Amino acid sequence: MGIVCELYRLPDSEIEELKKLDIDDTEEYLDEKFAFVDSEYHRQNDTVFSMDKGWGIARFLIQECDNSPNKILSKLNDRFIKSDDVKLVNKELESIEIEDLKNVYDQEKLIANHVYRGKYEINWDYINNWHLKLYKSGFKKASELNSGIAINYN
């Protein structure tokens, strides 16, 4: 198995409420409301964007491509991203393509930064289709609907 990463699209007001909870209660809420396939808010590629083991590599490489003056893609390390920042992240993500990730790829840097699964060989089609595109589609959808994003790891 391995650690998977999911992006959950939700309103800023819900993010504010979740920030008040301790980590265990937050995890339980996200699992019960979003993570489980039969849960109340689980709608794949609408409220839930699921990535498997390559998410860490994709996130690191995406952040390496960040040309924004304030390095907005560092927000991908946060647990919660409110709608205003989601829009800024989306704008930066729109400009990043798989070739950009290939150009910044450095396996030694991945390993030195303890990137999850960084020591494994890269399958670029896999990174593009199951990670970069999902990061992009999740943030695009949230941006269009003025939603925030919660990032959850299972």
Side-chain angles (χ1 to χ4, degrees):
M1 186 68 184
I3 300 171
V4 298
C5 173
E6 292 185 320
L7 309 177
Y8 302 144
R9 183 178 61 77
L10 64 168
D12 286 346
S13 58
E14 203 166 336
I15 287 175
E16 285 304 314
E17 291 302 312
L18 288 170
K19 284 180 165 183
K20 295 175 186 175
L21 302 176
D22 67 42
I23 188 71
D24 290 334
D25 290 338
T26 302
E27 291 280 334
E28 184 178 338
Y29 178 86
L30 292 174
D31 286 346
E32 288 180 5
K33 298 290 185 179
F34 289 91
F36 302 124
V37 176
D38 293 329
S39 60
E40 183 178 357
Y41 300 124
H42 187 97
R43 291 184 300 282
Q44 195 63 37
N45 299 322
D46 178 24
T47 56
V48 176
F49 299 84
S50 302
M51 296 173 272
D52 64 5
K53 300 174 215 53
W55 61 266
I57 294 167
R59 180 184 68 187
F60 184 83
L61 296 176
I62 287 167
Q63 290 173 326
E64 290 290 292
C65 295
D66 190 349
N67 292 317
S68 66
N70 57 354
K71 297 299 181 194
I72 191 65
L73 295 180
S74 67
K75 290 284 183 184
L76 296 177
N77 297 326
D78 294 350
R79 182 64 182 267
F80 300 107
I81 308 169
K82 292 181 81 176
S83 60
D84 288 344
D85 286 334
V86 163
K87 290 174 185 151
L88 296 172
V89 169
N90 180 59
K91 184 177 180 189
E92 192 65 23
L93 282 174
E94 286 176 339
S95 68
I96 297 173
E97 300 299 332
I98 192 65
E99 291 304 317
D100 300 313
L101 301 188
K102 289 178 182 180
N103 289 336
V104 297
Y105 174 74
D106 179 343
Q107 188 173 40
E108 290 178 14
K109 197 170 183 179
L110 290 170
I111 293 168
N113 283 280
H114 308 286
V115 173
Y116 180 64
R117 312 247 333 148
K119 66 181 180 180
Y120 294 96
E121 186 176 330
I122 299 290
N123 176 327
W124 292 107
D125 286 335
Y126 170 73
I127 293 294
N128 187 46
N129 292 320
W130 296 105
H131 299 90
L132 178 59
K133 286 182 179 177
L134 281 167
Y135 271 116
K136 291 172 92 168
S137 63
F139 277 87
K140 180 179 182 183
K141 181 85 165 186
S143 181
E144 289 170 347
L145 297 173
N146 200 35
S147 296
I149 294 276
I151 300 176
N152 196 34
Y153 305 98
N154 296 311

